[in-house]
Amino acid sequence: MVSRAVEGAGFILVAVTGPGLIRRTAPPGRLTTAMGFWGAYQGISTFAGLVVGALVLQVVPWRVWWWGMAVLALAPLPWVLARVPRDASGGVRGAADGLARIGRTVRASAPWTAGLVFACYTLPWMAVVGFLPTIYRDGGMTGSWPGVLSAVVGAANAVGSISTAALMRRGLPTRVLIVPAFVVMAVTSVLAFAVDWSGLPAGSAGQFVCVTVFSLTGGAIPATLLRMIGELTPAGGSAPATMGLIQQLFNAGSFLGPTVAAWLATRTGGWHSTWWLTCACTAVGIALSVRLRPRSAVPAPESTAAPST
């Protein structure tokens, strides 16, 4: 458990600094696309991890799989050291200025609201996708199919995030994407879990389609919020601090989602009650997203590098 906590700390360091580095190094006109791919990392990793894991764990113990993940985590280091430019040293004065910027960011309401919106997305997404293999096995599915189908659902999330970035590059306003995404997530979760698919001709295939659309549409939310980081950061604040705050609330949702879903399934005797959780979260997410009041973005965010503070 201690080693997992240290692993989580490393993950936070990467997740918090990534968007800032992307903003600083992305070529002109490519920032939205780059942030869309960054927002897809959860779906991409879910797809790769579940597909490869389902196959590898058929022939090797889980400890071997974890060693492989450790090697994979170290693999990007040479590329990062070679391609990512060094930070300019700001000394003591720069550190004091950075702390002041972080303070202004934490006192602002927009980063907290955006973080809670993010949590309202990741909580139901992790609750559904995290338990999909178990749900499929409880339904009688055997072999590697539960992992493979769950991986496809995770990949749909990445497709949604990248597609949303493409739409935003073509001028689609960012804020109009969040509410419809939450609405579709709520509707598809009700169809997936409130309906008894075992008695219908479509069977589990219908539930699989609903969950896939749930994940695909949800991918619009991280892509949109990550693209709004600059607008959500208060004047004189720190964009990385905004990202860090949002990421912490995102992680809180990722932790609570599977926990609450498992509790509901235990109390109600099955996974059919999962839609209670997803609809409650999406309703709160809609209410909070309406309250988002990002400040006007600085001119031409696609072609100007954001400060690295």
Side-chain angles (χ1 to χ4, degrees):
M1 292 298 294
V2 172
S3 68
R4 291 304 299 272
V6 175
E7 177 192 6
F11 169 78
I12 289 294
L13 290 173
V14 174
V16 169
T17 56
L21 290 173
I22 291 173
R23 284 180 171 273
R24 196 175 70 186
T25 58
R30 301 289 290 174
L31 176 59
T32 298
T33 301
M35 294 301 287
F37 273 93
W38 179 261
Y41 77 81
Q42 188 176 31
I44 294 172
S45 60
T46 299
F47 173 76
L50 287 174
V51 168
V52 179
L55 299 175
V56 171
L57 291 175
Q58 301 290 325
V59 294
V60 300
W62 64 266
R63 287 183 175 84
V64 175
W65 173 242
W66 279 29
W67 277 110
M69 294 299 95
V71 173
L72 185 62
L74 294 174
L77 281 181
W79 195 18
V80 171
L81 293 174
R83 299 297 299 272
V84 177
R86 291 179 177 271
D87 292 325
S89 177
V92 176
R93 185 174 180 178
D97 181 62
L99 289 174
R101 287 175 176 269
I102 291 172
R104 283 191 287 269
T105 302
V106 173
R107 290 192 297 270
S109 61
W112 286 96
T113 303
L116 291 172
V117 171
F118 216 146
C120 288
Y121 149 74
T122 190
L123 196 155
W125 192 87
M126 284 298 298
V128 172
V129 179
F131 276 117
L132 266 186
T134 304
I135 294 171
Y136 286 141
R137 289 192 182 96
D138 289 349
M141 197 175 294
T142 59
S144 60
W145 279 108
V148 171
L149 292 180
S150 301
V152 172
V153 174
N157 186 259
V159 172
S161 182
I162 295 169
S163 301
T164 299
L167 291 174
M168 287 190 290
R169 283 198 67 196
R170 286 164 173 76
L172 187 67
T174 55
R175 293 185 63 198
V176 304
L177 294 168
I178 299 178
V179 172
F182 273 128
V183 170
V184 175
M185 288 181 72
V187 172
T188 52
S189 66
V190 171
L191 292 175
F193 294 102
V195 175
D196 183 8
W197 289 98
S198 61
L200 298 176
S204 58
Q207 185 186 46
F208 171 73
V209 170
C210 291
V211 175
T212 302
V213 175
F214 168 90
S215 182
L216 174 73
T217 309
I221 297 172
T224 303
L225 290 175
L226 289 174
R227 184 62 185 83
M228 293 170 64
I229 291 296
E231 301 170 36
L232 295 168
T233 302
S238 167
T242 300
M243 182 62 209
L245 181 58
I246 290 175
Q247 185 69 44
Q248 291 289 4
L249 294 172
F250 166 94
N251 288 335
S254 296
F255 169 76
L256 290 173
T259 304
V260 177
W263 178 80
L264 276 175
T266 302
R267 294 299 298 267
T268 60
W271 300 104
H272 59 276
S273 59
T274 303
W275 70 271
W276 301 356
L277 172 63
T278 57
C279 287
C281 289
T282 53
V284 174
I286 291 171
L288 288 172
S289 62
V290 172
R291 294 172 56 86
L292 272 179
R293 293 292 184 269
R295 67 185 179 88
S296 299
V298 295
E302 289 282 5
S303 58
T304 59
S308 58
T309 300

